[in-house]
Amino acid sequence: YMIIALLEGEAIKNSEFSTAHIVELKKLNEKFMKSRSSKEKLKLDRLFHQKLIEKYPNQYAKKIIEDIRIRVFIYELEFMDEVSTTKSVEMHDKIIDHLQAGKKSAAINELKTNWEISIKHILNAYSTKTP
């Protein structure tokens, strides 16, 4: 998860965000907020994060991010099924607001915090399960 956060942060740092791009991020986050099923939430969250790095020119890093996302898919599905996504929606909004204001460092910090929510949930969930 921290590798995803680091790579996505680097992608944000090295990308430009047009007004149209910001509008698309907002629309995806609105759909994410309204979604009900865990599969739909996961799909929309993934699309949001893909949109964040869409303009990053390093195709190799984008492929690595996608490969890691595939590896954590089952954990993310469980997260979407068990945890309210309200906090994630709010964090996505903050990321968008920071990008719109040209504050990439703040957006990257919020992104890392967003990924940390998943990490904490998974560590907690699996530390309490019996083998």
Side-chain angles (χ1 to χ4, degrees):
Y1 278 91
M2 290 315 297
I3 293 170
I4 294 172
L6 289 170
L7 290 173
E8 282 189 358
E10 188 66 19
I12 288 171
K13 181 179 171 184
N14 292 290
S15 296
E16 295 301 321
F17 296 89
S18 66
T19 302
H21 199 141
I22 298 293
V23 168
E24 290 177 41
L25 285 166
K26 287 180 180 182
K27 286 180 183 177
L28 280 170
N29 202 36
E30 286 173 18
K31 288 179 183 177
F32 179 54
M33 178 180 67
K34 294 175 184 175
S35 62
R36 296 292 167 238
S37 75
S38 54
K39 286 182 182 178
E40 184 181 13
K41 289 176 189 179
L42 182 59
K43 175 186 171 190
L44 290 165
D45 185 60
R46 185 175 185 194
L47 288 172
F48 178 85
H49 285 270
Q50 286 175 330
K51 180 60 69 177
L52 271 177
I53 67 168
E54 172 180 81
K55 301 294 182 182
Y56 187 42
N58 187 330
Q59 298 301 315
Y60 297 109
K62 286 172 31 176
K63 176 69 174 137
I64 291 167
I65 293 167
E66 197 56 36
D67 288 346
I68 297 170
R69 279 193 191 130
I70 290 167
R71 294 175 192 276
V72 300
F73 172 83
I74 198 73
Y75 300 114
E76 285 296 292
L77 185 60
E78 184 176 319
F79 175 82
M80 296 295 175
D81 194 37
E82 294 179 1
V83 178
S84 168
T85 53
T86 303
K87 185 71 175 164
S88 287
V89 169
E90 292 170 1
M91 296 178 108
H92 289 179
D93 279 336
K94 287 180 185 177
I95 292 167
I96 294 166
D97 290 344
H98 291 312
L99 292 174
Q100 195 166 17
K103 299 178 180 178
K104 289 183 181 180
S105 292
I108 292 166
N109 288 335
E110 194 67 33
L111 173 78
K112 287 178 182 177
T113 304
N114 183 246
W115 279 110
E116 286 172 0
I117 289 173
S118 292
I119 295 166
K120 288 176 184 174
H121 170 74
I122 289 163
L123 289 174
N124 185 50
Y126 284 92
S127 68
T128 59
K129 290 185 179 184
T130 54

